[in-house]
Amino acid sequence: RRILPSAPASNSFLNMAVAPNGYLWVATGKDVTGKGFFEFDGDSWKTYNMKNYSQLPSDAIYNLSIGADSTILLGSWGQGAIFYKK
């Protein structure tokens, strides 16, 4: 029997921020190595990328921060800013 723990889709953590709810958000890359961005809720990881979310303009997310209202502010490499509100 194989047990696979929850893990991020990559170990490329360019930038991280913790939201008021305690969730960790991770930016993954500034070029073709980018894997989108990750969310960790304390138990499991979620990947936000172009494959899972076609409205994303790029997987090259190199910077992020958390806004006062918990909006995730994401900087993409060459594709502008992305604002994500959960």
Side-chain angles (χ1 to χ4, degrees):
R1 182 175 131 161
R2 222 165 75 161
I3 299 174
L4 298 174
S6 176
S10 166
N11 65 355
S12 177
F13 284 37
L14 254 59
N15 192 290
M16 298 182 289
V18 177
N21 63 1
Y23 287 18
L24 174 68
W25 293 86
V26 179
T28 65
K30 66 178 184 177
D31 54 23
V32 296
T33 63
K35 305 292 184 200
F37 61 102
F38 305 145
E39 170 191 16
F40 182 64
D41 65 9
D43 291 314
S44 60
W45 290 89
K46 183 171 183 178
T47 300
Y48 296 84
N49 58 26
M50 293 173 62
K51 179 181 175 187
N52 299 331
Y53 297 88
S54 61
Q55 64 270 37
L56 284 175
S58 173
D59 285 335
I61 307 297
Y62 74 95
N63 204 351
L64 59 79
S65 64
I66 311 296
D69 65 350
S70 295
T71 297
I72 312 303
L73 312 168
L74 303 145
S76 72
W77 190 254
Q79 298 295 321
I82 302 163
F83 300 89
Y84 178 71
K85 179 85 172 165
K86 191 163 184 170

